[in-house]
């Protein structure tokens, strides 16, 4: 999974948003030991969703990979 920055060029980061695929990430909705849940918007359809971002190092360290189901769009 890769992320990129989009938004106005230059300006000290004002107005730039983190993008993951077709989703633009917003504020953090919740946080736990292994993951964060963030508000996101599909930049193509404008649909609002919640995205869970897992801490890969912790998941592997605690051998929890069997509990992870990943959707690719």
């Amino acid at each position: 999974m890769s992320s990129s920055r989009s938004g106005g060029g230059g300006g000290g980061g004002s107005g730039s948003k983190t993008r993951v695929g077709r989703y633009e990430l917003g504020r953090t909705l919740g946080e736990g030991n292994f993951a964060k849940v963030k508000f996101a918007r599909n930049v193509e359809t404008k649909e609002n969703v919640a995205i869970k971002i897992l801490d890969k190092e912790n998941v592997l360290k605690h051998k929890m990979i069997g509990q992870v189901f990943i959707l690719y769009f």
Side-chain angles (χ1 to χ4, degrees):
M1 174 167 74
S2 65
S3 66
S4 62
R5 298 293 244 175
S6 66
S14 175
S16 66
K17 299 273 186 170
T18 300
R19 284 193 52 188
V20 177
R22 69 180 72 142
Y23 294 95
E24 192 172 78
L25 299 181
R27 67 186 179 95
T28 300
L29 301 173
E31 204 169 333
N33 292 327
F34 293 92
K36 282 186 181 180
V37 177
K38 291 199 165 268
F39 171 84
R41 181 184 299 259
N42 184 315
V43 296
E44 298 168 4
T45 66
K46 308 297 185 208
E47 178 184 21
N48 294 331
V49 297
I51 293 182
K52 183 179 277 190
I53 302 168
L54 299 173
D55 180 337
K56 183 178 178 181
E57 191 174 299
N58 259 343
V59 169
L60 294 175
K61 178 180 170 184
H62 294 282
K63 298 180 172 93
M64 297 178 67
I65 194 69
Q67 298 178 37
V68 176
F69 180 74
I70 302 172
L71 296 175
Y72 294 97
F73 295 95

Short mmCIF file of all heavy atoms in Angstrom, two decimals:
data_model
loop_
_atom_site.label_atom_id
_atom_site.label_comp_id
_atom_site.label_asym_id
_atom_site.label_seq_id
_atom_site.Cartn_x
_atom_site.Cartn_y
_atom_site.Cartn_z
N MET A 1 0.86 -1.16 0.00
CA MET A 1 0.00 0.00 0.00
C MET A 1 0.90 1.22 0.00
O MET A 1 1.81 1.33 0.79
CB MET A 1 -0.88 -0.05 1.25
CG MET A 1 -1.70 1.17 1.43
SD MET A 1 -2.99 0.96 2.66
CE MET A 1 -2.08 0.99 4.18
N SER A 2 0.62 2.13 -0.88
CA SER A 2 1.43 3.34 -0.93
C SER A 2 0.55 4.55 -0.73
O SER A 2 -0.64 4.52 -0.99
CB SER A 2 2.15 3.43 -2.27
OG SER A 2 1.22 3.59 -3.31
N SER A 3 1.14 5.60 -0.23
CA SER A 3 0.40 6.83 -0.06
C SER A 3 1.15 7.95 -0.73
O SER A 3 2.35 7.89 -0.92
CB SER A 3 0.18 7.15 1.42
OG SER A 3 1.41 7.41 2.04
N SER A 4 0.40 8.96 -1.11
CA SER A 4 1.03 10.13 -1.72
C SER A 4 0.33 11.37 -1.21
O SER A 4 -0.78 11.32 -0.73
CB SER A 4 0.93 10.03 -3.24
OG SER A 4 -0.43 10.03 -3.64
N ARG A 5 1.01 12.48 -1.35
CA ARG A 5 0.44 13.75 -0.93
C ARG A 5 -0.14 14.43 -2.15
O ARG A 5 0.44 14.40 -3.21
CB ARG A 5 1.51 14.64 -0.32
CG ARG A 5 2.13 14.06 0.93
CD ARG A 5 1.18 13.98 2.04
NE ARG A 5 1.61 14.83 3.11
CZ ARG A 5 0.90 15.02 4.18
NH1 ARG A 5 -0.25 14.45 4.33
NH2 ARG A 5 1.33 15.80 5.13
N SER A 6 -1.27 15.05 -1.98
CA SER A 6 -1.84 15.84 -3.07
C SER A 6 -2.23 17.19 -2.51
O SER A 6 -2.30 17.38 -1.31
CB SER A 6 -3.05 15.13 -3.67
OG SER A 6 -4.10 15.08 -2.73
N GLY A 7 -2.51 18.11 -3.36
CA GLY A 7 -2.91 19.43 -2.90
C GLY A 7 -2.06 20.49 -3.54
O GLY A 7 -1.31 20.23 -4.48
N GLY A 8 -2.18 21.69 -3.04
CA GLY A 8 -1.45 22.82 -3.60
C GLY A 8 0.05 22.65 -3.48
O GLY A 8 0.56 22.14 -2.50
N GLY A 9 0.78 23.06 -4.48
CA GLY A 9 2.23 22.94 -4.44
C GLY A 9 2.85 24.08 -3.66
O GLY A 9 2.62 25.24 -3.94
N GLY A 10 3.59 23.75 -2.64
CA GLY A 10 4.27 24.80 -1.92
C GLY A 10 3.42 25.31 -0.77
O GLY A 10 3.17 25.05 -0.06
N GLY A 11 3.19 26.22 -0.24
CA GLY A 11 2.31 26.72 0.76
C GLY A 11 2.44 26.16 2.15
O GLY A 11 1.49 26.23 2.90
N GLY A 12 3.54 25.49 2.50
CA GLY A 12 3.74 25.01 3.85
C GLY A 12 2.83 23.90 4.29
O GLY A 12 2.54 23.74 5.46
N GLY A 13 2.30 23.10 3.35
CA GLY A 13 1.45 21.98 3.70
C GLY A 13 0.00 22.34 3.87
O GLY A 13 -0.83 21.49 4.10
N SER A 14 -0.35 23.60 3.78
CA SER A 14 -1.74 24.02 3.94
C SER A 14 -2.59 23.46 2.82
O SER A 14 -2.28 23.63 1.66
CB SER A 14 -1.81 25.55 3.94
OG SER A 14 -3.15 25.96 3.98
N GLY A 15 -3.66 22.75 3.18
CA GLY A 15 -4.58 22.23 2.19
C GLY A 15 -4.18 20.89 1.61
O GLY A 15 -4.91 20.33 0.83
N SER A 16 -3.02 20.34 1.98
CA SER A 16 -2.63 19.05 1.42
C SER A 16 -3.26 17.93 2.24
O SER A 16 -3.43 18.04 3.45
CB SER A 16 -1.11 18.91 1.39
OG SER A 16 -0.58 18.88 2.69
N LYS A 17 -3.63 16.86 1.57
CA LYS A 17 -4.26 15.72 2.21
C LYS A 17 -3.48 14.46 1.86
O LYS A 17 -2.93 14.35 0.77
CB LYS A 17 -5.70 15.54 1.70
CG LYS A 17 -6.61 16.72 1.97
CD LYS A 17 -7.23 16.58 3.31
CE LYS A 17 -8.24 17.69 3.51
NZ LYS A 17 -9.04 17.52 4.65
N THR A 18 -3.47 13.51 2.76
CA THR A 18 -2.84 12.22 2.48
C THR A 18 -3.81 11.38 1.68
O THR A 18 -4.99 11.29 2.03
CB THR A 18 -2.48 11.50 3.79
OG1 THR A 18 -1.58 12.31 4.52
CG2 THR A 18 -1.83 10.16 3.52
N ARG A 19 -3.32 10.77 0.60
CA ARG A 19 -4.14 9.89 -0.21
C ARG A 19 -3.60 8.48 -0.17
O ARG A 19 -2.39 8.27 -0.19
CB ARG A 19 -4.19 10.38 -1.65
CG ARG A 19 -5.11 11.56 -1.78
CD ARG A 19 -5.45 11.92 -3.18
NE ARG A 19 -5.93 10.81 -3.96
CZ ARG A 19 -6.13 10.87 -5.26
NH1 ARG A 19 -5.89 11.98 -5.92
NH2 ARG A 19 -6.57 9.82 -5.92
N VAL A 20 -4.50 7.52 -0.08
CA VAL A 20 -4.17 6.10 -0.17
C VAL A 20 -5.06 5.55 -1.26
O VAL A 20 -6.28 5.47 -1.09
CB VAL A 20 -4.42 5.37 1.17
CG1 VAL A 20 -4.14 3.89 1.03
CG2 VAL A 20 -3.59 5.98 2.28
N GLY A 21 -4.45 5.24 -2.39
CA GLY A 21 -5.25 4.80 -3.54
C GLY A 21 -6.20 5.90 -3.95
O GLY A 21 -5.80 7.05 -4.12
N ARG A 22 -7.48 5.57 -4.05
CA ARG A 22 -8.47 6.56 -4.46
C ARG A 22 -9.11 7.29 -3.27
O ARG A 22 -10.07 8.02 -3.44
CB ARG A 22 -9.54 5.91 -5.33
CG ARG A 22 -10.42 4.95 -4.57
CD ARG A 22 -11.47 4.32 -5.45
NE ARG A 22 -10.81 3.38 -6.34
CZ ARG A 22 -11.33 2.22 -6.69
NH1 ARG A 22 -12.52 1.88 -6.29
NH2 ARG A 22 -10.67 1.40 -7.46
N TYR A 23 -8.57 7.06 -2.07
CA TYR A 23 -9.15 7.65 -0.86
C TYR A 23 -8.28 8.78 -0.31
O TYR A 23 -7.07 8.66 -0.22
CB TYR A 23 -9.36 6.58 0.20
CG TYR A 23 -10.39 5.57 -0.22
CD1 TYR A 23 -10.00 4.38 -0.82
CD2 TYR A 23 -11.74 5.83 -0.06
CE1 TYR A 23 -10.95 3.46 -1.24
CE2 TYR A 23 -12.69 4.92 -0.47
CZ TYR A 23 -12.29 3.74 -1.07
OH TYR A 23 -13.22 2.85 -1.49
N GLU A 24 -8.92 9.85 0.09
CA GLU A 24 -8.28 10.97 0.74
C GLU A 24 -8.58 10.85 2.23
O GLU A 24 -9.74 10.84 2.64
CB GLU A 24 -8.87 12.26 0.17
CG GLU A 24 -8.13 13.50 0.54
CD GLU A 24 -8.67 14.69 -0.22
OE1 GLU A 24 -9.74 15.21 0.17
OE2 GLU A 24 -8.03 15.08 -1.21
N LEU A 25 -7.52 10.73 3.03
CA LEU A 25 -7.70 10.50 4.46
C LEU A 25 -7.96 11.80 5.20
O LEU A 25 -7.39 12.84 4.89
CB LEU A 25 -6.46 9.83 5.06
CG LEU A 25 -6.09 8.47 4.50
CD1 LEU A 25 -4.87 7.93 5.22
CD2 LEU A 25 -7.24 7.50 4.58
N GLY A 26 -8.82 11.70 6.21
CA GLY A 26 -9.15 12.85 7.04
C GLY A 26 -8.77 12.59 8.49
O GLY A 26 -7.76 11.96 8.78
N ARG A 27 -9.65 13.01 9.39
CA ARG A 27 -9.34 12.95 10.82
C ARG A 27 -9.40 11.52 11.36
O ARG A 27 -10.03 10.64 10.77
CB ARG A 27 -10.31 13.83 11.59
CG ARG A 27 -11.74 13.34 11.58
CD ARG A 27 -12.68 14.34 12.25
NE ARG A 27 -14.05 13.87 12.20
CZ ARG A 27 -14.63 13.19 13.17
NH1 ARG A 27 -13.99 12.91 14.27
NH2 ARG A 27 -15.89 12.80 13.04
N THR A 28 -8.73 11.30 12.47
CA THR A 28 -8.75 10.01 13.15
C THR A 28 -10.05 9.88 13.92
O THR A 28 -10.42 10.75 14.70
CB THR A 28 -7.54 9.88 14.10
OG1 THR A 28 -6.35 10.00 13.34
CG2 THR A 28 -7.56 8.56 14.84
N LEU A 29 -10.77 8.78 13.69
CA LEU A 29 -12.04 8.52 14.38
C LEU A 29 -11.84 7.70 15.64
O LEU A 29 -12.60 7.83 16.60
CB LEU A 29 -13.00 7.79 13.45
CG LEU A 29 -13.35 8.50 12.14
CD1 LEU A 29 -14.18 7.59 11.24
CD2 LEU A 29 -14.10 9.79 12.44
N GLY A 30 -10.83 6.84 15.64
CA GLY A 30 -10.57 5.99 16.79
C GLY A 30 -9.17 5.41 16.70
O GLY A 30 -8.55 5.40 15.64
N GLU A 31 -8.68 4.93 17.85
CA GLU A 31 -7.31 4.45 17.91
C GLU A 31 -7.22 3.34 18.95
O GLU A 31 -7.83 3.42 20.00
CB GLU A 31 -6.43 5.62 18.34
CG GLU A 31 -5.01 5.52 17.95
CD GLU A 31 -4.28 6.84 18.19
OE1 GLU A 31 -4.90 7.92 18.17
OE2 GLU A 31 -3.07 6.74 18.40
N GLY A 32 -6.47 2.29 18.60
CA GLY A 32 -6.25 1.18 19.52
C GLY A 32 -4.80 0.76 19.50
O GLY A 32 -3.95 1.46 18.98
N ASN A 33 -4.52 -0.42 20.08
CA ASN A 33 -3.15 -0.92 20.15
C ASN A 33 -2.58 -1.32 18.79
O ASN A 33 -1.39 -1.22 18.56
CB ASN A 33 -3.05 -2.12 21.09
CG ASN A 33 -3.29 -1.72 22.53
OD1 ASN A 33 -2.95 -0.62 22.93
ND2 ASN A 33 -3.90 -2.61 23.30
N PHE A 34 -3.45 -1.80 17.90
CA PHE A 34 -2.98 -2.34 16.63
C PHE A 34 -3.41 -1.53 15.43
O PHE A 34 -3.00 -1.82 14.31
CB PHE A 34 -3.50 -3.78 16.45
CG PHE A 34 -2.89 -4.73 17.43
CD1 PHE A 34 -3.50 -4.99 18.65
CD2 PHE A 34 -1.69 -5.38 17.15
CE1 PHE A 34 -2.94 -5.86 19.56
CE2 PHE A 34 -1.12 -6.25 18.05
CZ PHE A 34 -1.74 -6.50 19.26
N ALA A 35 -4.28 -0.53 15.60
CA ALA A 35 -4.81 0.15 14.43
C ALA A 35 -5.34 1.54 14.76
O ALA A 35 -5.58 1.87 15.92
CB ALA A 35 -5.94 -0.68 13.82
N LYS A 36 -5.52 2.32 13.70
CA LYS A 36 -6.22 3.59 13.76
C LYS A 36 -7.36 3.50 12.76
O LYS A 36 -7.22 2.88 11.70
CB LYS A 36 -5.32 4.75 13.33
CG LYS A 36 -4.36 5.22 14.35
CD LYS A 36 -3.63 6.44 13.85
CE LYS A 36 -2.62 6.91 14.89
NZ LYS A 36 -1.90 8.09 14.45
N VAL A 37 -8.47 4.14 13.06
CA VAL A 37 -9.58 4.24 12.12
C VAL A 37 -9.67 5.70 11.72
O VAL A 37 -9.75 6.59 12.57
CB VAL A 37 -10.90 3.75 12.73
CG1 VAL A 37 -12.05 3.94 11.74
CG2 VAL A 37 -10.79 2.29 13.13
N LYS A 38 -9.63 5.93 10.41
CA LYS A 38 -9.66 7.29 9.89
C LYS A 38 -10.85 7.50 8.98
O LYS A 38 -11.29 6.59 8.29
CB LYS A 38 -8.38 7.59 9.11
CG LYS A 38 -7.16 7.68 9.99
CD LYS A 38 -6.05 8.42 9.28
CE LYS A 38 -4.97 8.85 10.21
NZ LYS A 38 -5.15 10.17 10.73
N PHE A 39 -11.37 8.71 9.01
CA PHE A 39 -12.39 9.14 8.06
C PHE A 39 -11.70 9.27 6.71
O PHE A 39 -10.56 9.71 6.62
CB PHE A 39 -12.96 10.49 8.49
CG PHE A 39 -13.88 11.11 7.47
CD1 PHE A 39 -15.21 10.74 7.41
CD2 PHE A 39 -13.39 12.04 6.57
CE1 PHE A 39 -16.04 11.30 6.47
CE2 PHE A 39 -14.22 12.61 5.62
CZ PHE A 39 -15.55 12.23 5.56
N ALA A 40 -12.37 8.85 5.64
CA ALA A 40 -11.81 8.98 4.31
C ALA A 40 -12.92 9.25 3.32
O ALA A 40 -14.09 8.95 3.56
CB ALA A 40 -11.05 7.71 3.92
N ARG A 41 -12.54 9.82 2.19
CA ARG A 41 -13.50 10.11 1.12
C ARG A 41 -12.93 9.59 -0.19
O ARG A 41 -11.78 9.84 -0.53
CB ARG A 41 -13.74 11.61 1.01
CG ARG A 41 -14.74 11.98 -0.08
CD ARG A 41 -14.89 13.47 -0.23
NE ARG A 41 -15.39 14.09 0.99
CZ ARG A 41 -16.66 14.44 1.18
NH1 ARG A 41 -17.54 14.26 0.23
NH2 ARG A 41 -17.02 15.00 2.30
N ASN A 42 -13.77 8.86 -0.92
CA ASN A 42 -13.40 8.39 -2.25
C ASN A 42 -13.37 9.62 -3.16
O ASN A 42 -14.38 10.31 -3.31
CB ASN A 42 -14.43 7.37 -2.74
CG ASN A 42 -14.08 6.78 -4.08
OD1 ASN A 42 -13.69 7.48 -5.01
ND2 ASN A 42 -14.24 5.48 -4.19
N VAL A 43 -12.21 9.91 -3.74
CA VAL A 43 -12.09 11.13 -4.54
C VAL A 43 -12.85 11.04 -5.86
O VAL A 43 -13.15 12.07 -6.46
CB VAL A 43 -10.60 11.50 -4.80
CG1 VAL A 43 -9.90 11.83 -3.50
CG2 VAL A 43 -9.88 10.40 -5.55
N GLU A 44 -13.18 9.84 -6.31
CA GLU A 44 -13.92 9.66 -7.55
C GLU A 44 -15.43 9.78 -7.35
O GLU A 44 -16.12 10.45 -8.10
CB GLU A 44 -13.59 8.30 -8.18
CG GLU A 44 -12.12 8.16 -8.55
CD GLU A 44 -11.72 6.75 -8.88
OE1 GLU A 44 -12.59 5.85 -8.91
OE2 GLU A 44 -10.52 6.53 -9.12
N THR A 45 -15.94 9.13 -6.30
CA THR A 45 -17.40 9.08 -6.07
C THR A 45 -17.87 10.02 -4.97
O THR A 45 -19.08 10.16 -4.77
CB THR A 45 -17.84 7.65 -5.70
OG1 THR A 45 -17.27 7.31 -4.43
CG2 THR A 45 -17.42 6.64 -6.76
N LYS A 46 -16.95 10.59 -4.20
CA LYS A 46 -17.24 11.46 -3.05
C LYS A 46 -17.91 10.70 -1.90
O LYS A 46 -18.43 11.30 -0.98
CB LYS A 46 -18.11 12.67 -3.44
CG LYS A 46 -17.57 13.47 -4.59
CD LYS A 46 -16.23 14.08 -4.26
CE LYS A 46 -15.78 14.97 -5.40
NZ LYS A 46 -14.36 15.09 -5.51
N GLU A 47 -17.88 9.37 -1.94
CA GLU A 47 -18.46 8.56 -0.87
C GLU A 47 -17.59 8.64 0.38
O GLU A 47 -16.36 8.54 0.31
CB GLU A 47 -18.57 7.10 -1.32
CG GLU A 47 -19.11 6.18 -0.26
CD GLU A 47 -19.13 4.72 -0.71
OE1 GLU A 47 -18.39 4.36 -1.63
OE2 GLU A 47 -19.88 3.95 -0.10
N ASN A 48 -18.20 8.83 1.55
CA ASN A 48 -17.50 8.85 2.83
C ASN A 48 -17.40 7.43 3.38
O ASN A 48 -18.38 6.69 3.37
CB ASN A 48 -18.23 9.73 3.84
CG ASN A 48 -18.22 11.18 3.43
OD1 ASN A 48 -17.31 11.65 2.76
ND2 ASN A 48 -19.24 11.91 3.83
N VAL A 49 -16.22 7.08 3.87
CA VAL A 49 -16.00 5.76 4.44
C VAL A 49 -15.09 5.88 5.66
O VAL A 49 -14.53 6.94 5.93
CB VAL A 49 -15.33 4.80 3.41
CG1 VAL A 49 -16.23 4.56 2.21
CG2 VAL A 49 -13.99 5.31 2.97
N ALA A 50 -14.96 4.79 6.39
CA ALA A 50 -13.97 4.69 7.47
C ALA A 50 -12.94 3.66 7.02
O ALA A 50 -13.29 2.61 6.48
CB ALA A 50 -14.63 4.25 8.76
N ILE A 51 -11.67 3.98 7.21
CA ILE A 51 -10.59 3.07 6.84
C ILE A 51 -9.79 2.72 8.09
O ILE A 51 -9.39 3.60 8.85
CB ILE A 51 -9.67 3.73 5.78
CG1 ILE A 51 -10.43 3.90 4.48
CG2 ILE A 51 -8.41 2.90 5.58
CD1 ILE A 51 -9.61 4.49 3.36
N LYS A 52 -9.58 1.42 8.27
CA LYS A 52 -8.76 0.96 9.40
C LYS A 52 -7.34 0.77 8.91
O LYS A 52 -7.09 0.06 7.94
CB LYS A 52 -9.30 -0.36 9.97
CG LYS A 52 -8.51 -0.83 11.19
CD LYS A 52 -9.06 -2.12 11.76
CE LYS A 52 -10.23 -1.81 12.65
NZ LYS A 52 -10.66 -3.01 13.42
N ILE A 53 -6.39 1.41 9.59
CA ILE A 53 -4.98 1.33 9.24
C ILE A 53 -4.28 0.53 10.33
O ILE A 53 -4.22 0.96 11.48
CB ILE A 53 -4.37 2.73 9.10
CG1 ILE A 53 -5.15 3.52 8.04
CG2 ILE A 53 -2.89 2.64 8.78
CD1 ILE A 53 -4.84 4.99 8.03
N LEU A 54 -3.78 -0.64 9.95
CA LEU A 54 -3.16 -1.54 10.91
C LEU A 54 -1.68 -1.25 11.07
O LEU A 54 -0.99 -0.88 10.12
CB LEU A 54 -3.32 -2.99 10.46
CG LEU A 54 -4.75 -3.48 10.31
CD1 LEU A 54 -4.76 -4.86 9.69
CD2 LEU A 54 -5.46 -3.49 11.64
N ASP A 55 -1.17 -1.47 12.28
CA ASP A 55 0.25 -1.39 12.56
C ASP A 55 0.85 -2.75 12.19
O ASP A 55 0.74 -3.72 12.93
CB ASP A 55 0.48 -1.08 14.05
CG ASP A 55 1.94 -0.97 14.42
OD1 ASP A 55 2.80 -1.54 13.71
OD2 ASP A 55 2.23 -0.32 15.43
N LYS A 56 1.42 -2.82 11.00
CA LYS A 56 1.92 -4.08 10.46
C LYS A 56 2.92 -4.75 11.39
O LYS A 56 2.87 -5.97 11.60
CB LYS A 56 2.55 -3.83 9.09
CG LYS A 56 3.05 -5.06 8.40
CD LYS A 56 3.61 -4.70 7.04
CE LYS A 56 4.17 -5.89 6.32
NZ LYS A 56 4.72 -5.52 5.01
N GLU A 57 3.83 -3.97 11.96
CA GLU A 57 4.85 -4.52 12.84
C GLU A 57 4.22 -5.22 14.05
O GLU A 57 4.61 -6.33 14.42
CB GLU A 57 5.77 -3.40 13.31
CG GLU A 57 7.01 -3.88 14.02
CD GLU A 57 7.96 -2.72 14.32
OE1 GLU A 57 8.43 -2.08 13.37
OE2 GLU A 57 8.19 -2.48 15.51
N ASN A 58 3.22 -4.59 14.66
CA ASN A 58 2.54 -5.20 15.82
C ASN A 58 1.75 -6.43 15.43
O ASN A 58 1.74 -7.42 16.16
CB ASN A 58 1.60 -4.18 16.48
CG ASN A 58 2.20 -3.57 17.72
OD1 ASN A 58 3.15 -4.10 18.28
ND2 ASN A 58 1.63 -2.46 18.15
N VAL A 59 1.07 -6.40 14.30
CA VAL A 59 0.29 -7.55 13.83
C VAL A 59 1.20 -8.75 13.62
O VAL A 59 0.90 -9.87 14.06
CB VAL A 59 -0.49 -7.20 12.54
CG1 VAL A 59 -1.09 -8.45 11.92
CG2 VAL A 59 -1.59 -6.18 12.84
N LEU A 60 2.33 -8.54 12.96
CA LEU A 60 3.26 -9.63 12.72
C LEU A 60 3.92 -10.11 14.00
O LEU A 60 4.07 -11.32 14.22
CB LEU A 60 4.33 -9.20 11.71
CG LEU A 60 3.83 -8.92 10.30
CD1 LEU A 60 4.96 -8.37 9.44
CD2 LEU A 60 3.21 -10.16 9.68
N LYS A 61 4.29 -9.18 14.87
CA LYS A 61 4.96 -9.50 16.13
C LYS A 61 4.07 -10.40 17.00
O LYS A 61 4.55 -11.32 17.66
CB LYS A 61 5.29 -8.21 16.87
CG LYS A 61 5.93 -8.38 18.22
CD LYS A 61 6.21 -7.01 18.83
CE LYS A 61 6.62 -7.10 20.26
NZ LYS A 61 6.78 -5.76 20.86
N HIS A 62 2.78 -10.15 17.00
CA HIS A 62 1.85 -10.91 17.84
C HIS A 62 1.16 -12.03 17.08
O HIS A 62 0.18 -12.60 17.55
CB HIS A 62 0.81 -9.96 18.45
CG HIS A 62 1.42 -8.99 19.41
ND1 HIS A 62 1.78 -9.33 20.68
CD2 HIS A 62 1.78 -7.69 19.27
CE1 HIS A 62 2.31 -8.29 21.30
NE2 HIS A 62 2.34 -7.27 20.45
N LYS A 63 1.67 -12.34 15.87
CA LYS A 63 1.19 -13.46 15.05
C LYS A 63 -0.33 -13.39 14.85
O LYS A 63 -1.04 -14.38 15.01
CB LYS A 63 1.62 -14.78 15.66
CG LYS A 63 3.12 -14.94 15.73
CD LYS A 63 3.54 -16.26 16.33
CE LYS A 63 5.02 -16.44 16.19
NZ LYS A 63 5.85 -16.03 17.23
N MET A 64 -0.81 -12.22 14.48
CA MET A 64 -2.25 -12.02 14.29
C MET A 64 -2.63 -11.92 12.81
O MET A 64 -3.74 -11.55 12.48
CB MET A 64 -2.69 -10.75 15.02
CG MET A 64 -2.50 -10.83 16.51
SD MET A 64 -2.98 -9.32 17.33
CE MET A 64 -4.73 -9.32 17.05
N ILE A 65 -1.71 -12.27 11.92
CA ILE A 65 -1.97 -12.12 10.49
C ILE A 65 -3.19 -12.93 10.04
O ILE A 65 -3.90 -12.53 9.12
CB ILE A 65 -0.71 -12.46 9.64
CG1 ILE A 65 -0.87 -11.97 8.21
CG2 ILE A 65 -0.39 -13.94 9.70
CD1 ILE A 65 -0.86 -10.49 8.06
N GLY A 66 -3.48 -14.03 10.70
CA GLY A 66 -4.64 -14.85 10.37
C GLY A 66 -5.96 -14.14 10.62
O GLY A 66 -7.01 -14.55 10.10
N GLN A 67 -5.95 -13.08 11.41
CA GLN A 67 -7.17 -12.34 11.73
C GLN A 67 -7.36 -11.13 10.83
O GLN A 67 -8.30 -10.38 11.00
CB GLN A 67 -7.12 -11.89 13.18
CG GLN A 67 -7.06 -13.05 14.14
CD GLN A 67 -6.95 -12.58 15.58
OE1 GLN A 67 -7.54 -11.57 15.95
NE2 GLN A 67 -6.20 -13.31 16.39
N VAL A 68 -6.45 -10.95 9.86
CA VAL A 68 -6.51 -9.78 8.99
C VAL A 68 -7.07 -10.17 7.63
O VAL A 68 -6.60 -11.11 7.01
CB VAL A 68 -5.10 -9.15 8.82
CG1 VAL A 68 -5.14 -7.99 7.85
CG2 VAL A 68 -4.54 -8.73 10.17
N PHE A 69 -8.08 -9.46 7.19
CA PHE A 69 -8.67 -9.64 5.88
C PHE A 69 -8.53 -8.32 5.13
O PHE A 69 -9.00 -7.28 5.62
CB PHE A 69 -10.15 -10.03 6.00
CG PHE A 69 -10.84 -10.23 4.70
CD1 PHE A 69 -10.60 -11.35 3.93
CD2 PHE A 69 -11.72 -9.28 4.21
CE1 PHE A 69 -11.22 -11.54 2.72
CE2 PHE A 69 -12.36 -9.45 3.00
CZ PHE A 69 -12.11 -10.59 2.25
N ILE A 70 -7.85 -8.33 4.01
CA ILE A 70 -7.56 -7.10 3.28
C ILE A 70 -8.35 -7.07 1.98
O ILE A 70 -8.34 -8.05 1.22
CB ILE A 70 -6.05 -6.99 2.98
CG1 ILE A 70 -5.26 -7.02 4.29
CG2 ILE A 70 -5.75 -5.73 2.19
CD1 ILE A 70 -3.77 -7.12 4.12
N LEU A 71 -9.02 -5.97 1.73
CA LEU A 71 -9.74 -5.77 0.48
C LEU A 71 -8.93 -4.86 -0.42
O LEU A 71 -8.45 -3.82 0.01
CB LEU A 71 -11.10 -5.12 0.74
CG LEU A 71 -12.10 -5.92 1.54
CD1 LEU A 71 -13.36 -5.09 1.80
CD2 LEU A 71 -12.48 -7.19 0.80
N TYR A 72 -8.76 -5.26 -1.65
CA TYR A 72 -8.11 -4.42 -2.64
C TYR A 72 -9.13 -4.02 -3.69
O TYR A 72 -9.87 -4.86 -4.17
CB TYR A 72 -6.95 -5.18 -3.33
CG TYR A 72 -5.83 -5.50 -2.40
CD1 TYR A 72 -5.73 -6.75 -1.80
CD2 TYR A 72 -4.85 -4.57 -2.13
CE1 TYR A 72 -4.68 -7.06 -0.95
CE2 TYR A 72 -3.80 -4.85 -1.27
CZ TYR A 72 -3.73 -6.11 -0.69
OH TYR A 72 -2.69 -6.40 0.16
N PHE A 73 -9.18 -2.75 -4.01
CA PHE A 73 -10.14 -2.27 -5.00
C PHE A 73 -9.43 -1.84 -6.25
O PHE A 73 -8.45 -1.21 -6.26
CB PHE A 73 -10.95 -1.10 -4.43
CG PHE A 73 -11.81 -1.51 -3.27
CD1 PHE A 73 -11.38 -1.36 -1.98
CD2 PHE A 73 -13.06 -2.07 -3.51
CE1 PHE A 73 -12.18 -1.73 -0.91
CE2 PHE A 73 -13.85 -2.44 -2.45
CZ PHE A 73 -13.41 -2.27 -1.15
#
